């Protein structure tokens, strides 16, 4: 370190956080379930049961871990239906302004998502927000796993970003786990895939709006090194 204090940085999750696709996720899940012979679930049930790795979520639903062959069919079926449903989704309320204000304040931000990289880039670009971010990374490789190793790589690839002044904003417990494993802070948002009760068990601040998330991130980054 050269003694200068680096600016605060936010790593944004995409699905369920910046991209308000909850309706698409539930719609695609139930469309896939119907095709697979499973009963439909409600949003509340989804938020209570959803977890990473995703095959564990299916174990909670059907009472056993799916075989590798079953998981591949389940995953492909969900993503086929999700692609149809997501076209009706947009950015979370107020997200565009929050991104602009954070950038204007001299801070940096990036996206790390477990959504496929080749699909993520045109989606972000289509909303006209790509220039707000110093880096946008989606998943490469198989789906369904955790975020920690991806977060470590993501932060290592960023120049002039200090993990202790970095805050991950996401909607899943896995975002808090990934932040911890990378030496960063986390703020969890209730507008996505998890219930407030399950998020509160992660040991990170839990908020109901992205505006609250950014305010909490500013305080955490100002405090310095993550515990």
């Amino acid at each position: 370190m050269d003694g200068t204090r680096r600016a605060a940085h936010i790593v944004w999750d995409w699905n369920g956080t910046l991209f308000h696709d909850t309706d698409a996720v539930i719609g695609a899940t139930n469309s896939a379930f119907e095709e697979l012979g499973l009963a439909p679930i409600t949003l509340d049930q989804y938020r209570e049961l959803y977890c990473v790795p995703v095959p564990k979520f299916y174990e909670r639903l059907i009472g056993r871990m799916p075989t590798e062959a079953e998981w591949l069919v389940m995953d492909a079926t969900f993503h086929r239906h999700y692609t149809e449903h997501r076209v009706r989704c947009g950015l979370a309320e107020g997200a565009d302004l929050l991104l602009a204000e954070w950038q204007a304040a001299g801070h940096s931000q990036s996206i790390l998502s477990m959504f496929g990289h080749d699909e993520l880039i045109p989606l972000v670009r289509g909303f006209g927000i790509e220039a707000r971010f110093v880096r946008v990374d989606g998943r490469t490789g198989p789906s369904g796993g955790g975020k920690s190793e991806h977060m470590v790589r993501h932060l290592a690839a960023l120049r002039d970003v200090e993990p202790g002044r970095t805050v991950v904003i996401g909607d899943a417990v896995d975002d808090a786990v990934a932040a911890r494993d990378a030496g960063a802070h986390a703020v969890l948002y209730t507008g996505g895939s998890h219930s407030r009760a399950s998020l509160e068990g992660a040991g990170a601040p839990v908020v109901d709006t992205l505006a609250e998330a950014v305010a909490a991130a500013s305080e955490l980054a100002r405090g310095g090194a993550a515990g």
Side-chain angles (χ1 to χ4, degrees):
M1 290 283 293
D2 58 8
T4 59
R5 191 155 172 78
R6 293 178 178 179
H9 182 82
I10 290 175
V11 179
W12 291 95
D13 175 54
W14 180 248
N15 302 93
T17 305
L18 284 178
F19 187 48
H20 185 61
D21 63 347
T22 307
D23 290 343
V25 168
I26 297 301
T29 297
N30 283 330
S31 294
F33 282 6
E34 182 178 8
E35 196 170 321
L36 296 165
L38 301 173
I41 62 171
T42 66
L43 174 58
D44 286 344
Q45 289 172 320
Y46 183 92
R47 284 175 164 164
E48 287 299 327
L49 294 171
Y50 183 77
C51 62
V52 173
V54 181
K56 187 76 176 175
F57 169 54
Y58 283 95
E59 181 184 25
R60 292 178 174 184
L61 289 166
I62 65 177
R64 62 174 177 82
M65 185 68 78
T67 66
E68 184 175 351
E70 287 173 330
W71 158 244
L72 291 174
V73 172
M74 290 171 168
D75 188 50
T77 305
F78 168 82
H79 281 96
R80 176 162 46 82
H81 287 290
Y82 176 79
T83 299
E84 297 169 1
H85 285 271
R86 79 175 189 214
V87 296
R88 295 185 291 276
C89 300
L91 294 177
E93 183 178 356
D96 201 352
L97 180 59
L98 289 168
L99 294 173
E101 289 176 343
W102 184 260
Q103 184 182 37
H107 306 308
S108 60
Q109 55 199 333
S110 58
I111 292 175
L112 175 62
S113 173
M114 293 297 92
F115 192 54
H117 184 78
D118 290 342
E119 293 180 272
L120 176 65
I121 297 300
L123 259 181
V124 173
R125 189 170 293 148
F127 284 112
I129 58 173
E130 187 178 21
R132 303 290 183 205
F133 307 103
V134 295
R135 187 177 182 92
V136 177
D137 282 336
R139 171 187 49 79
T140 57
S143 65
K147 209 173 201 175
S148 288
E149 63 179 279
H150 301 276
M151 185 67 70
V152 171
R153 282 201 304 269
H154 181 77
L155 292 184
L158 296 173
R159 296 184 60 189
D160 300 322
V161 169
E162 183 181 333
R165 285 179 52 76
T166 296
V167 181
V168 177
I169 297 179
D171 68 319
V173 171
D174 191 48
D175 291 300
V177 173
R180 181 199 65 207
D181 290 348
H185 303 274
V187 177
L188 300 180
Y189 165 61
T190 62
S193 61
H194 280 47
S195 68
R196 171 175 277 276
S198 63
L199 293 176
E200 286 175 341
V206 178
V207 299
D208 296 320
T209 69
L210 292 186
E212 291 175 300
V214 171
S218 183
E219 288 296 320
L220 287 169
R222 189 177 297 125

